[in-house]
Amino acid sequence: QVQLVESGGGVVQPGGSLRLSCAASGFTFSSYSMHWARQAPDKGLEWVAVISYDGSNTYYTDSVKGRFTISRDNSKNTLYLQMNSLRAEDTAVYYCVKDLGRSGSYLRGDYWGQGTLVTVSS
Amino acid sequence: QSALTQPPSASGSPGQSVTISCTGTSSDVGGYNYVSWYQQHPGKAPKLIIYEVTKRPSGVPDRFSGSKSGNTASLTVSGLQAEDEADYYCSSYAGSNNPNVFGTGTKVTVL
Protein backbone atom coordinates (compact mmCIF):
# COMPACT_ATOMS: atom_id res chain seq x y z
CA GLN A 1 0.00 0.00 0.00
CA VAL A 2 1.06 3.59 -0.58
CA GLN A 3 2.92 5.14 2.33
CA LEU A 4 4.27 8.66 2.64
CA VAL A 5 6.25 9.41 5.79
CA GLU A 6 7.39 12.96 6.45
CA SER A 7 10.25 13.89 8.77
CA GLY A 8 12.44 16.86 9.60
CA GLY A 9 9.95 19.13 11.29
CA GLY A 10 10.69 20.94 14.52
CA VAL A 11 11.16 24.33 16.13
CA VAL A 12 13.31 26.89 14.34
CA GLN A 13 13.98 30.58 14.90
CA PRO A 14 12.80 33.22 12.42
CA GLY A 15 15.30 33.50 9.58
CA GLY A 16 16.44 29.91 10.10
CA SER A 17 16.37 26.91 7.79
CA LEU A 18 14.91 23.43 7.83
CA ARG A 19 14.81 20.53 5.39
CA LEU A 20 11.79 18.27 5.28
CA SER A 21 11.94 14.77 3.83
CA CYS A 22 9.20 12.43 2.66
CA ALA A 23 9.95 8.74 2.28
CA ALA A 24 7.65 7.11 -0.25
CA SER A 25 6.82 3.43 -0.67
CA GLY A 26 4.16 1.19 -2.17
CA PHE A 27 4.18 2.77 -5.63
CA THR A 28 6.59 3.66 -8.43
CA PHE A 29 7.80 6.97 -6.99
CA SER A 30 9.62 8.01 -10.17
CA SER A 31 6.38 7.95 -12.18
CA TYR A 32 4.39 10.61 -10.32
CA SER A 33 4.43 14.29 -9.59
CA MET A 34 4.71 15.13 -5.91
CA HIS A 35 3.49 18.13 -3.92
CA TRP A 36 3.94 19.76 -0.55
CA ALA A 37 0.92 21.33 1.13
CA ARG A 38 0.62 22.88 4.58
CA GLN A 39 -1.94 23.70 7.23
CA ALA A 40 -1.38 26.29 9.91
CA PRO A 41 -2.81 25.41 13.36
CA ASP A 42 -6.62 25.46 13.20
CA LYS A 43 -6.50 26.96 9.71
CA GLY A 44 -7.22 25.80 6.19
CA LEU A 45 -5.07 24.02 3.67
CA GLU A 46 -2.49 25.83 1.55
CA TRP A 47 -0.69 24.38 -1.46
CA VAL A 48 3.08 25.00 -1.33
CA ALA A 49 4.94 23.42 -4.25
CA VAL A 50 4.99 20.69 -6.90
CA ILE A 51 7.72 18.78 -8.72
CA SER A 52 7.28 16.69 -11.85
CA TYR A 53 8.06 12.99 -11.94
CA ASP A 54 11.62 13.51 -13.15
CA GLY A 55 12.35 16.73 -11.27
CA SER A 56 12.56 18.80 -14.42
CA ASN A 57 9.71 21.15 -13.53
CA THR A 58 8.92 22.85 -10.24
CA TYR A 59 6.29 25.41 -9.24
CA TYR A 60 5.67 27.31 -6.02
CA THR A 61 3.05 29.39 -4.30
CA ASP A 62 3.95 33.08 -4.31
CA SER A 63 4.61 33.34 -0.56
CA VAL A 64 7.49 30.82 -0.64
CA LYS A 65 9.11 31.66 -3.98
CA GLY A 66 12.82 32.35 -3.51
CA ARG A 67 12.80 30.84 -0.01
CA PHE A 68 11.68 27.21 -0.45
CA THR A 69 13.05 24.58 -2.85
CA ILE A 70 11.31 21.33 -3.69
CA SER A 71 13.45 18.46 -4.95
CA ARG A 72 13.39 14.69 -5.25
CA ASP A 73 15.78 11.75 -5.35
CA ASN A 74 14.13 8.99 -7.36
CA SER A 75 16.91 6.56 -6.49
CA LYS A 76 15.97 6.95 -2.81
CA ASN A 77 12.18 7.32 -3.30
CA THR A 78 12.38 10.53 -1.32
CA LEU A 79 10.88 14.00 -1.70
CA TYR A 80 12.43 17.05 -0.07
CA LEU A 81 11.49 20.61 0.86
CA GLN A 82 14.36 22.93 1.72
CA MET A 83 12.98 25.90 3.65
CA ASN A 84 15.15 28.99 4.16
CA SER A 85 14.49 32.42 5.65
CA LEU A 86 11.63 30.99 7.67
CA ARG A 87 8.95 33.29 9.03
CA ALA A 88 6.39 32.93 11.80
CA GLU A 89 3.68 32.59 9.16
CA ASP A 90 5.37 29.43 7.85
CA THR A 91 4.35 27.64 11.06
CA ALA A 92 2.19 24.71 9.95
CA VAL A 93 1.85 20.99 9.51
CA TYR A 94 3.54 20.16 6.21
CA TYR A 95 2.06 17.33 4.15
CA CYS A 96 3.73 15.31 1.42
CA VAL A 97 1.21 14.56 -1.34
CA LYS A 98 1.31 12.12 -4.23
CA ASP A 99 -0.38 13.26 -7.44
CA LEU A 100 -2.46 11.09 -9.73
CA GLY A 101 -0.28 12.02 -12.73
CA ARG A 102 3.36 12.41 -13.72
CA SER A 103 3.49 15.98 -14.97
CA GLY A 104 1.52 19.19 -14.94
CA SER A 105 1.35 21.54 -11.99
CA TYR A 106 -2.29 20.94 -11.01
CA LEU A 107 -3.02 19.19 -7.73
CA ARG A 108 -4.85 15.86 -7.70
CA GLY A 109 -3.56 14.56 -4.41
CA ASP A 110 -4.65 10.95 -4.10
CA TYR A 111 -2.38 10.08 -1.16
CA TRP A 112 -1.26 12.29 1.73
CA GLY A 113 1.26 11.66 4.47
CA GLN A 114 0.38 12.29 8.11
CA GLY A 115 2.37 15.51 8.15
CA THR A 116 5.25 17.01 10.09
CA LEU A 117 4.92 20.11 12.26
CA VAL A 118 7.17 23.10 11.63
CA THR A 119 7.13 25.83 14.27
CA VAL A 120 8.91 29.10 13.59
CA SER A 121 9.36 30.95 16.85
CA SER A 122 11.99 32.77 18.85
CA GLN B 1 -3.84 34.39 -5.22
CA SER B 2 -6.89 34.55 -2.95
CA ALA B 3 -8.45 31.46 -1.44
CA LEU B 4 -11.61 30.13 -3.07
CA THR B 5 -14.77 30.96 -1.14
CA GLN B 6 -16.67 28.22 0.66
CA PRO B 7 -19.45 28.54 3.26
CA PRO B 8 -18.03 28.04 6.76
CA SER B 9 -20.57 25.39 7.66
CA ALA B 10 -23.27 23.10 6.30
CA SER B 11 -25.45 20.51 7.94
CA GLY B 12 -28.04 17.85 7.32
CA SER B 13 -29.76 14.93 8.96
CA PRO B 14 -28.77 11.34 8.23
CA GLY B 15 -30.05 10.29 4.83
CA GLN B 16 -30.41 13.85 3.58
CA SER B 17 -28.22 15.62 1.03
CA VAL B 18 -25.90 18.56 1.53
CA THR B 19 -24.28 20.68 -1.17
CA ILE B 20 -21.15 22.77 -0.64
CA SER B 21 -20.20 25.57 -3.00
CA CYS B 22 -16.71 26.69 -3.99
CA THR B 23 -16.58 30.07 -5.69
CA GLY B 24 -13.58 31.40 -7.56
CA THR B 25 -12.96 33.39 -10.69
CA SER B 26 -12.46 32.85 -14.40
CA SER B 27 -8.75 32.56 -13.63
CA ASP B 28 -9.17 29.44 -11.54
CA VAL B 29 -12.43 27.50 -11.11
CA GLY B 30 -14.06 28.95 -14.21
CA GLY B 31 -11.02 28.59 -16.42
CA TYR B 32 -10.02 24.98 -15.91
CA ASN B 33 -11.56 21.59 -15.21
CA TYR B 34 -9.07 20.85 -12.45
CA VAL B 35 -11.24 21.20 -9.37
CA SER B 36 -10.70 18.69 -6.58
CA TRP B 37 -12.45 18.10 -3.27
CA TYR B 38 -10.88 16.79 -0.07
CA GLN B 39 -12.41 15.44 3.13
CA GLN B 40 -10.51 15.95 6.38
CA HIS B 41 -11.46 14.45 9.72
CA PRO B 42 -10.05 16.09 12.88
CA GLY B 43 -6.38 15.33 13.38
CA LYS B 44 -6.18 13.39 10.12
CA ALA B 45 -4.68 14.01 6.69
CA PRO B 46 -6.98 15.11 3.88
CA LYS B 47 -8.51 12.50 1.59
CA LEU B 48 -9.25 13.03 -2.10
CA ILE B 49 -12.92 12.46 -2.87
CA ILE B 50 -13.40 14.23 -6.22
CA TYR B 51 -10.93 15.30 -8.91
CA GLU B 52 -11.25 16.98 -12.31
CA VAL B 53 -14.65 18.37 -11.25
CA THR B 54 -16.64 15.13 -11.41
CA LYS B 55 -14.34 12.11 -11.13
CA ARG B 56 -14.26 9.87 -8.07
CA PRO B 57 -11.15 7.92 -7.06
CA SER B 58 -11.69 4.21 -6.58
CA GLY B 59 -13.11 3.42 -3.17
CA VAL B 60 -14.99 6.70 -2.78
CA PRO B 61 -18.75 6.05 -2.48
CA ASP B 62 -20.97 7.34 -5.27
CA ARG B 63 -22.81 9.34 -2.61
CA PHE B 64 -20.16 11.97 -3.33
CA SER B 65 -20.55 13.91 -6.57
CA GLY B 66 -19.07 17.05 -8.07
CA SER B 67 -20.18 19.62 -10.60
CA LYS B 68 -19.27 23.05 -11.90
CA SER B 69 -21.13 26.01 -13.37
CA GLY B 70 -19.20 29.08 -14.38
CA ASN B 71 -16.89 30.16 -11.58
CA THR B 72 -18.55 27.98 -8.94
CA ALA B 73 -17.91 24.32 -8.26
CA SER B 74 -20.09 22.22 -5.99
CA LEU B 75 -19.80 19.04 -3.95
CA THR B 76 -22.97 17.12 -3.11
CA VAL B 77 -23.05 14.46 -0.42
CA SER B 78 -26.19 12.36 -0.75
CA GLY B 79 -27.53 9.98 1.86
CA LEU B 80 -25.58 11.66 4.66
CA GLN B 81 -23.95 9.32 7.14
CA ALA B 82 -22.41 10.03 10.53
CA GLU B 83 -18.91 9.41 9.15
CA ASP B 84 -19.39 12.21 6.60
CA GLU B 85 -19.04 14.74 9.43
CA ALA B 86 -15.74 16.41 8.57
CA ASP B 87 -14.13 19.47 7.01
CA TYR B 88 -14.28 19.70 3.23
CA TYR B 89 -11.91 21.70 1.03
CA CYS B 90 -12.03 22.43 -2.67
CA SER B 91 -8.95 23.20 -4.72
CA SER B 92 -8.48 24.49 -8.24
CA TYR B 93 -5.72 24.94 -10.76
CA ALA B 94 -5.07 28.66 -11.26
CA GLY B 95 -2.48 28.86 -14.02
CA SER B 96 1.25 28.30 -14.18
CA ASN B 97 2.27 31.40 -12.19
CA ASN B 98 0.66 30.27 -8.94
CA PRO B 99 -0.79 26.90 -9.85
CA ASN B 100 -3.05 25.76 -7.06
CA VAL B 101 -5.41 27.38 -4.62
CA PHE B 102 -7.55 25.84 -1.89
CA GLY B 103 -10.93 26.90 -0.67
CA THR B 104 -11.56 28.31 2.78
CA GLY B 105 -13.08 25.04 3.98
CA THR B 106 -16.57 23.95 5.08
CA LYS B 107 -17.40 22.08 8.25
CA VAL B 108 -20.18 19.58 7.62
CA THR B 109 -22.24 18.53 10.61
CA VAL B 110 -24.55 15.53 10.57
CA LEU B 111 -27.44 16.42 12.86
Side-chain angles (χ1 to χ4, degrees), chain A residues 37-92:
Chain A
R38 66 185 179 183
Q39 188 169 32
D42 295 321
K43 299 295 184 183
L45 294 168
E46 181 182 23
W47 176 81
V48 175
V50 61
I51 186 167
S52 59
Y53 72 103
D54 61 355
S56 61
N57 292 295
T58 59
Y59 299 88
Y60 301 89
T61 191
D62 281 346
S63 62
V64 309
K65 284 178 183 174
R67 301 189 300 125
F68 289 12
T69 302
I70 187 172
S71 62
R72 66 191 297 160
D73 186 336
N74 286 345
S75 68
K76 295 182 178 180
N77 289 348
T78 303
L79 176 72
Y80 302 100
L81 185 67
Q82 177 67 44
M83 304 186 295
N84 298 330
S85 303
L86 282 161
R87 307 166 180 165
E89 53 265 35
D90 295 319
T91 294

Side-chain angles (χ1 to χ4, degrees), chain B:
Chain B
Q1 181 69 41
S2 299
L4 307 175
T5 301
Q6 297 180 233
S9 63
S11 63
S13 299
Q16 290 186 330
S17 295
V18 64
T19 297
I20 304 166
S21 61
C22 169
T23 302
T25 69
S26 59
S27 297
D28 39 61
V29 174
Y32 308 94
N33 288 323
Y34 287 114
V35 176
S36 298
W37 289 91
Y38 299 87
Q39 177 191 63
Q40 187 179 33
H41 288 108
K44 300 295 187 182
K47 173 188 175 183
L48 179 68
I49 53 174
I50 295 288
Y51 68 100
E52 294 176 12
V53 181
T54 61
K55 299 177 181 178
R56 271 180 289 106
S58 60
V60 173
D62 59 7
R63 303 186 293 104
F64 294 90
S65 62
S67 63
K68 190 183 84 167
S69 178
N71 297 336
T72 298
S74 298
L75 172 72
T76 297
V77 186
S78 305
L80 267 176
Q81 299 182 4
E83 58 261 37
D84 299 332
E85 187 162 292
D87 293 326
Y88 291 82
Y89 294 90
C90 62
S91 74
S92 175
Y93 181 65
S96 59
N97 191 47
N98 199 0
N100 296 288
V101 58
F102 277 101
T104 50
T106 299
K107 181 175 181 59
V108 169
T109 301
V110 180
L111 301 171

Side-chain angles (χ1 to χ4, degrees), chain A residues 16-32:
Chain A
S17 297
L18 215 52
R19 188 176 85 154
L20 305 183
S21 298
C22 170
S25 60
F27 65 103
T28 305
F29 179 72
S30 59
S31 294
Y32 295 93

